[in-house]
Amino acid sequence: MSAKNVAGPNGKKPTSVATNLIAGGAAGMMEALACHPLDTIKVRMQLSRRARRPGAPKRGFVKTGLEICRKETPLALYKGLGAVTTGIVPKMAIRFTSFETYKKMLADKETGNVTGRATFLAGLAAGVTEAVAVVTPMEVVKIRLQGQYHSMADPLDVPKYRNAAHALFTVVREEGFGALYRGVSLTALRQGSNQAVNFTAYTEFKQILQNYQPAYHDAPLPSYQTTLIGLVSGAMGPLSNAPIDTIKTRLQKVPAKAGETAIGRISSIAKDMFKQEGFHAFYKGITPRIMRVAPGQAVTFTVYEYLKEKLENSTMPIVGGKYEE
């Protein structure tokens, strides 16, 4: 079976690892810079344990964001960005490279066609791979930084973690290396379901638009169309797994208790949330999460597709010619 047959739509060669590293890493960096403040607001909302008093107005994502800015300056919205940017390049490289690898493995052995089911499974496997390899340790550090409450009104309240590197060192020193993988099962479940839905929806929407527009059947879609389908596909994941993400955030926020298993901790968090805060607590932060993930995926796919096309059409030996992987 030739490389052309397993490439998927339009008979193109599989994207090289180098292209995934450069295009995916740059796309992820742009996503992080543009959308990280919304992620910080989402985490703060998920960590909030205060039940709303009867008749009191809801504290939505706008009010939460304004409170963070007022008490801790606007720069507080970028807490944990160092942890994200450190891991974003390998994360995106792993995501796109593993997705293409799994899709190739699941392609029809005779025709090389990739079904919707195969795309879904490839996305699921890619999400789990990135969760184990990069995302879980990165998120533990990020959430520890984002979860610090140090109001400017109280100058004696010194934050425990100074930056991403210090947080990483402190967590490993005080809690052991295993603490970086707290919540790995939930993170893998979240990332797997996210990428399964995301890649499947994006691929289907892209194919529909290419079939509807013959001029783009063998060419990249216009950037605005890539942005639109990335936005829509990106919103689908958070809607399907919001409770998983909320429980994961609370699990990763605090150190583990001696003798407590991961399953026991997850069950305890879920029971306490339902008992003390109600069912709606599982969907805390869903609005900023959608607002963060959906445009984030739009940015990611737009930048990735643009840079991939430029790199594949360039004369750089790292991505073309006889050096093509």
Side-chain angles (χ1 to χ4, degrees):
M1 180 171 58
S2 67
K4 182 178 179 179
N5 288 335
V6 298
N10 304 328
K12 290 185 177 181
K13 288 183 178 182
T15 307
S16 70
V17 175
T19 298
N20 282 323
L21 175 64
I22 298 170
M29 189 70 71
M30 290 298 295
E31 176 204 1
L33 291 173
C35 304
H36 190 76
L38 289 169
D39 187 69
T40 299
I41 297 172
K42 179 211 72 172
V43 168
R44 289 296 181 88
M45 292 178 71
Q46 290 176 333
L47 293 176
S48 174
R49 299 178 183 273
R50 294 185 297 177
R52 188 162 61 96
R53 297 189 304 275
K58 293 182 179 180
R59 189 176 71 171
F61 71 93
V62 174
K63 187 173 182 180
T64 300
L66 290 174
E67 285 188 3
I68 293 173
C69 293
R70 180 174 61 84
K71 295 180 179 180
E72 306 169 40
T73 79
L75 288 177
L77 293 173
Y78 284 91
K79 285 181 178 177
L81 182 62
V84 174
T85 54
T86 300
I88 203 71
V89 171
K91 171 186 171 181
M92 289 301 176
I94 288 170
R95 173 182 297 179
F96 286 103
T97 303
S98 62
F99 173 69
E100 292 295 334
T101 300
Y102 293 131
K103 191 169 67 171
K104 181 178 178 180
M105 292 168 57
L106 294 167
D108 185 276
K109 303 303 180 185
E110 297 296 328
T111 65
N113 292 330
V114 180
T115 65
R117 178 174 177 271
T119 300
F120 182 88
L121 292 175
L124 180 67
V128 172
T129 301
E130 72 175 48
V132 174
V134 179
V135 177
T136 304
M138 181 180 73
E139 291 221 334
V140 169
V141 173
K142 174 181 72 70
I143 288 170
R144 294 296 179 91
L145 289 166
Q146 289 174 324
Q148 293 185 127
Y149 293 85
H150 54 283
S151 171
M152 290 182 66
D154 185 5
L156 298 179
D157 187 10
V158 180
K160 182 175 182 179
Y161 309 114
R162 295 191 295 271
N163 50 49
H166 181 251
L168 175 65
F169 175 77
T170 303
V171 170
V172 173
R173 183 188 62 187
E174 295 182 353
E175 305 169 45
F177 183 79
L180 295 176
Y181 279 88
R182 185 164 301 127
V184 64
S185 58
L186 292 176
T187 304
L189 184 59
R190 186 200 66 181
Q191 292 300 114
S193 57
N194 264 349
Q195 301 316 318
V197 172
N198 191 22
F199 275 116
T200 302
Y202 179 82
T203 301
E204 291 298 324
F205 289 145
K206 182 179 179 180
Q207 191 65 51
I208 290 171
L209 288 176
Q210 287 180 321
N211 291 339
Y212 184 72
Q213 304 169 105
Y216 297 108
H217 184 70
D218 295 315
L221 293 171
S223 293
Y224 79 91
Q225 294 185 15
T226 301
T227 301
L228 180 61
I229 61 177
L231 185 73
V232 175
S233 62
M236 295 181 174
L239 290 171
S240 66
N241 57 27
I244 296 172
D245 188 58
T246 302
I247 296 172
K248 176 201 71 67
T249 297
R250 296 200 178 189
L251 180 70
Q252 292 176 327
K253 170 64 172 62
V254 297
K257 296 179 181 178
E260 189 174 40
T261 64
I263 295 296
R265 181 63 177 154
I266 291 170
S267 299
S268 176
I269 290 173
K271 288 178 182 178
D272 288 345
M273 285 176 62
F274 184 77
K275 181 178 179 181
Q276 299 175 14
E277 304 168 60
F279 181 76
H280 75 279
F282 292 97
Y283 286 87
K284 280 186 175 181
I286 184 62
T287 301
R289 186 175 175 222
I290 291 176
M291 290 184 65
R292 190 254 182 268
V293 174
Q297 290 304 312
V299 171
T300 296
F301 277 118
T302 303
V303 176
Y304 175 79
E305 294 280 12
Y306 175 80
L307 291 179
K308 184 180 74 169
E309 183 70 15
K310 293 296 183 182
L311 290 169
E312 289 180 340
N313 290 334
S314 73
T315 57
M316 293 172 61
I318 191 172
V319 293
K322 65 181 181 179
Y323 297 97
E324 184 72 51
E325 294 190 16

